[in-house]
């Protein structure tokens, strides 16, 4: 456990006194509130809160979010009430904490069907994108300390992280978070594959890095005598999990993978990106078909860069990525990078007008995080509701769906043999319109069978189809078409 001075040292230069005081208050409050608690490892529980907050600092979140990081388990795990929290820290931070607590109640049970629903549900529940980021930071530390947890639970948490949380980070454009979460979970989700991938990574990364190093030296020489200013350069080693995914795609043939290590050149303008690309191609032969212009055509999560793969001349093939500082921040921090992006944008005045124009034309690029969340919700959740089974599986259905739609979404056998339903513990009619967060329990009996009447109120095409099929199989088709007006049959 560290002292507050150590935390303060991590805060960016120029953090206001007010922000520092707020974070310190949260630090001390959480330390006191959780002082009796221990983690599975035997460590003080506060370690977890501190690590969560540190991740939020690393991702350059604002003071409210960092404070909420310290306090994210306080309402749930201590005697502190919501009211007290509001009095101490105000509405905004309390809402962040409540949001994180709400997300924590959702569990993944390994049904492929529910993965996408879960992901959507997490987005639906978060009124503020910062809630999702705190949840990701919380999850990252839980993964990093997974060795102290029961084996079956390890696996569940690891899989949930890979299937639900990492793609969520990806959708938010926070590539770095996605990579960190996947790598932390990989070992527990797929131990044998993890060991194999790490071995390959170790064998290969060294050689390529060396080769890229001499490439960079030569490139730097050329750039020094040009107008281009290189802001920074680094090598990124592919995340283990994403390497494994790629290896699977190429039948585990490592020789087909050229981006285990990539050289990243960050320059100050879009024009310079293209200039550097041209320069590289004049110095080394590019591999045909591997030049990618994600500046003109960004990935759907907003990622922008130029990629090219070259023959290094010493027997290696390597990838080079070229981008501006803003694109770099966007790729690593996604919506979390908004504030730093905005700042540098303003600092540099009109310099990025070119990018601004491009954004307007193509309607891409950096939006405010709240806007992005709204858009994600609109894309994802248009007219959908999320309903639970009594075990906590979540199903994603169209608005105005009924318990019959729910039953058929689980299994046709259940839909075909409904005896009755309970919504939130109470018996309910079959045509009840369900709402998000309802818990629906379907009772079945062997002699139950669908009624044609259901076609008047079911919402999903699946339920309509199953009911029609059942009736066709069990009664005469004539009956079906005589009783039900045609408009209900499509
Ligand atoms: Mn936690």
């Amino acid at each position: 456990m560290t002292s507050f001075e150590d935390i303060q040292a991590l805060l960016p230069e120029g953090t206001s006194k007010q922000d520092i005081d707020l974070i310190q208050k949260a630090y001390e409050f959480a330390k006191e509130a959780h002082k009796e608690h221990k983690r599975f490892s035997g460590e003080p529980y506060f370690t977890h809160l501190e690590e969560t907050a540190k991740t939020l600092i690393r991702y350059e979140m604002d003071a409210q979010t960092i404070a909420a990081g310290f306090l994210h388990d306080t309402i749930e795990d201590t005697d502190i009430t919501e009211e007290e929290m509001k009095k101490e820290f105000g509405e905004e931070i309390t809402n962040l904490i409540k949001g994180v607590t709400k997300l924590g109640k959702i569990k993944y049970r390994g049904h492929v069907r529910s993965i996408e629903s879960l992901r959507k549900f997490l987005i639906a529940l978060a009124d503020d994108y910062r809630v999702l980021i705190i949840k990701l930071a919380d999850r990252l530390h839980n993964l990093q300390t997974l060795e102290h947890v029961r084996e079956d639970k390890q696996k569940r948490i690891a899989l949930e992280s890979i299937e639900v949380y990492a793609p969520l980070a990806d959708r938010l454009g926070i590539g770095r978070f996605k990579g960190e979460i996947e790598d932390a979970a990989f070992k527990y989700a797929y131990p044998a594959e993890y060991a194999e991938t790490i071995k390959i990574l170790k064998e290969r990364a060294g050689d390529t890095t060396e080769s890229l190093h001499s490439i960079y030296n030569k490139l730097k020489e050329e750039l020094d005598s040009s107008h281009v200013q290189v802001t920074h350069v680094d090598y990124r080693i592919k995340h283990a999990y994403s390497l494994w995914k790629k290896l699977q795609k190429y039948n585990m043939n490592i020789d087909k993978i050229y981006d285990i290590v990539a050289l990243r050149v960050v320059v100050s303008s879009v024009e310079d990106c293209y200039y550097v690309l041209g320069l590289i191609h004049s110095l080394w032969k590019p591999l045909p078909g591997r030049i990618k212009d994600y500046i003109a055509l960004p990935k759907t999560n907003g990622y922008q860069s130029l990629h090219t793969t070259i023959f290094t001349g010493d027997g290696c093939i390597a990838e080079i990525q070229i981008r501006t500082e803003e694109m770099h921040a966007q790729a690593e921090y996604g919506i979390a990078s908004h504030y730093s992006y905005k700042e540098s944008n303003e600092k540099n005045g009109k310099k990025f007008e070119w990018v601004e124009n491009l954004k307007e034309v193509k309607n891409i690029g950096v939006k405010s995080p709240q806007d992005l969340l709204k858009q994600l919700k609109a894309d994802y959740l248009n007219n959908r509701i999320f309903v639970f089974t009594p075990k906590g599986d979540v199903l994603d259905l169209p608005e105005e769906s009924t318990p019959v739609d729910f039953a058929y979404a689980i299994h046709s056998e259940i839909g075909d043999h409904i005896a009755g339903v309970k919504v939130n513990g109470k018996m309910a009619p079959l045509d009840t319109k369900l709402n998000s967060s309802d818990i629906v329990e379907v009772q079945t009996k062997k002699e139950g069978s669908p009624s044609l009447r259901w076609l008047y109120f079911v919402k999903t095409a699946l339920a309509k189809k199953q009911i029609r099929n059942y009736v066709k199989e069990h009664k005469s088709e004539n009956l079906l078409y005589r009783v039900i007006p045609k408009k209900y049959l499509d």
Side-chain angles (χ1 to χ4, degrees):
M1 222 188 308
T2 46
S3 70
F4 184 70
E5 281 68 43
D6 298 319
I7 298 286
Q8 196 178 337
L10 301 172
L11 294 171
E13 241 174 275
T15 306
S16 71
K17 168 119 183 17
Q18 203 188 346
D19 284 353
I20 295 173
D21 288 349
L22 172 66
I23 296 167
Q24 179 160 22
K25 189 177 166 191
Y27 170 96
E28 269 150 20
F29 192 91
K31 202 172 191 172
E32 177 63 25
H34 292 271
K35 67 174 181 226
E36 310 288 344
H37 299 167
K38 293 241 183 300
R39 300 208 91 209
F40 285 117
S41 60
E43 276 184 306
Y45 195 84
F46 184 69
T47 316
H48 167 65
L49 307 169
E50 194 175 57
E51 289 305 320
T52 305
K54 276 187 187 165
T55 301
L56 294 168
I57 295 173
R58 205 152 51 79
Y59 279 87
E60 298 176 15
M61 298 305 289
D62 62 1
Q64 278 70 27
T65 311
I66 297 165
F70 278 115
L71 299 165
H72 77 267
D73 285 323
T74 308
I75 294 181
E76 179 148 52
D77 296 345
T78 75
D79 296 336
I80 311 287
T81 63
E82 199 181 311
E83 285 314 306
E84 284 170 273
M85 191 57 85
K86 256 188 208 153
K87 230 177 92 213
E88 286 293 323
F89 290 96
E91 189 102 18
E92 188 181 346
I93 290 177
T94 308
N95 283 339
L96 290 174
I97 300 167
K98 274 167 61 192
V100 177
T101 309
K102 199 156 66 164
L103 297 193
K105 298 213 186 304
I106 303 164
K107 294 235 157 44
Y108 162 89
R109 285 168 208 278
H111 306 304
V112 176
R113 189 189 61 220
S114 71
I115 292 170
E116 185 61 18
S117 301
L118 251 173
R119 222 179 285 152
K120 288 179 188 170
F121 191 63
L122 286 174
I123 291 175
L125 273 186
D127 298 322
D128 187 327
Y129 80 98
R130 294 176 300 177
V131 167
L132 293 171
I133 303 211
I134 299 169
K135 188 68 209 163
L136 292 174
D138 169 54
R139 175 50 58 106
L140 183 63
H141 184 248
N142 285 335
L143 283 171
Q144 284 160 346
T145 50
L146 214 51
E147 62 189 280
H148 307 290
V149 171
R150 248 188 12 235
E151 218 170 285
D152 57 325
K153 222 178 143 193
Q154 276 180 350
K155 183 110 180 166
R156 181 184 69 73
I157 292 172
L159 282 172
E160 180 183 80
S161 302
I162 285 176
E163 309 275 16
V164 179
Y165 286 92
L168 187 65
D170 191 41
R171 280 301 270 127
L172 296 171
I174 321 173
R176 216 173 118 174
F177 234 138
K178 171 180 184 275
E180 283 192 58
I181 286 179
E182 282 176 347
D183 277 6
F186 189 14
K187 183 162 50 164
Y188 299 100
Y190 310 103
E193 292 83 350
Y194 172 79
E196 194 187 339
T197 310
I198 290 295
K199 198 171 141 245
I200 293 175
L201 205 53
K202 278 197 181 134
E203 278 166 14
R204 289 291 175 132
D207 289 354
T208 322
T209 310
E210 223 168 90
S211 171
L212 278 174
H213 197 71
S214 58
I215 293 236
Y216 177 63
N217 285 337
K218 190 161 167 200
L219 183 64
K220 178 130 193 342
E221 244 170 67
E222 298 281 332
L223 286 173
D224 281 347
S225 57
S226 79
H227 67 282
V228 174
Q229 242 194 335
V230 175
T231 320
H232 86 262
V233 172
D234 59 17
Y235 306 92
R236 80 105 183 82
I237 297 182
K238 205 170 181 61
H239 282 289
Y241 184 74
S242 92
L243 174 60
W244 179 57
K245 289 295 264 192
K246 205 157 186 176
L247 277 166
Q248 284 180 306
K249 216 163 87 187
Y250 291 99
N251 282 321
M252 301 307 278
N253 184 354
I254 185 72
D255 294 324
K256 288 248 169 77
I257 295 173
Y258 304 125
D259 65 342
I260 293 182
V261 185
L263 178 68
R264 259 192 317 218
V265 184
V266 181
V267 294
S268 54
S269 76
V270 171
E271 290 86 341
D272 287 354
C273 290
Y274 289 102
Y275 178 84
V276 172
L277 181 72
L279 183 63
I280 289 168
H281 288 170
S282 73
L283 294 169
W284 298 277
K285 215 185 261 302
L287 220 70
R290 307 250 337 158
I291 305 160
K292 288 179 196 133
D293 186 347
Y294 294 122
I295 293 180
L297 298 167
K299 290 190 184 178
T300 46
N301 63 8
Y303 175 85
Q304 289 186 292
S305 266
L306 299 175
H307 290 189
T308 185
T309 304
I310 56 160
F311 294 98
T312 59
D314 55 3
C316 274
I317 292 175
E319 182 171 300
I320 304 183
Q321 304 173 348
I322 310 151
R323 51 175 78 156
T324 65
E325 253 177 293
E326 289 65 40
M327 293 172 192
H328 186 58
Q330 178 67 16
E332 299 271 280
Y333 298 107
I335 61 172
S337 81
H338 174 65
Y339 296 107
S340 48
Y341 176 83
K342 202 168 163 242
E343 228 176 68
S344 72
N345 207 0
E346 276 161 7
K347 241 188 287 170
N348 291 296
K350 286 186 173 264
K351 203 168 172 189
F352 296 106
E353 215 172 336
W354 194 92
V355 183
E356 288 296 317
N357 292 339
L358 184 78
K359 247 161 54 187
E360 271 168 38
V361 176
K362 300 202 165 150
N363 193 24
I364 48 101
V366 186
K367 297 192 180 77
S368 91
Q370 244 14 304
D371 279 355
L372 179 66
L373 186 64
K374 237 190 252 161
Q375 194 195 317
L376 269 181
K377 286 190 184 196
D379 288 355
Y380 254 172
L381 312 167
N382 225 346
N383 311 318
R384 308 296 289 182
I385 55 166
F386 297 88
V387 188
F388 290 97
T389 69
K391 278 187 172 169
D393 290 331
V394 57
L395 262 83
D396 149 22
L397 295 167
E399 250 169 11
E400 304 204 313
S401 286
T402 64
V404 176
D405 294 291
F406 175 88
Y408 277 108
I410 295 177
H411 199 280
S412 62
E413 280 297 307
I414 297 187
D416 285 345
H417 301 287
I418 301 175
V421 290
K422 280 185 177 171
V423 177
N424 302 323
K426 285 199 200 99
M427 291 303 294
L430 291 183
D431 61 356
T432 305
K433 300 217 184 321
L434 297 173
N435 294 307
S436 260
S437 300
D438 280 347
I439 300 169
V440 184
E441 189 182 342
V442 180
Q443 293 144 348
T444 54
K445 60 172 185 238
K446 232 181 44 220
E447 60 286 8
S449 69
S451 151
L452 289 169
R453 203 178 50 83
W454 295 357
L455 286 173
Y456 288 106
F457 59 74
V458 292
K459 260 284 176 240
T460 53
L462 177 73
K464 285 181 191 169
K465 191 177 121 209
Q466 300 286 7
I467 296 166
R468 281 200 309 257
N469 283 352
Y470 187 95
V471 173
K472 269 185 207 163
E473 272 167 37
H474 293 82
K475 293 176 187 155
S476 93
E477 224 169 287
N478 283 340
L479 178 69
L480 174 65
Y481 289 100
R482 206 172 59 231
V483 177
I484 302 294
K486 200 168 176 326
K487 66 171 177 170
Y488 291 104
L489 293 169
D490 306 311

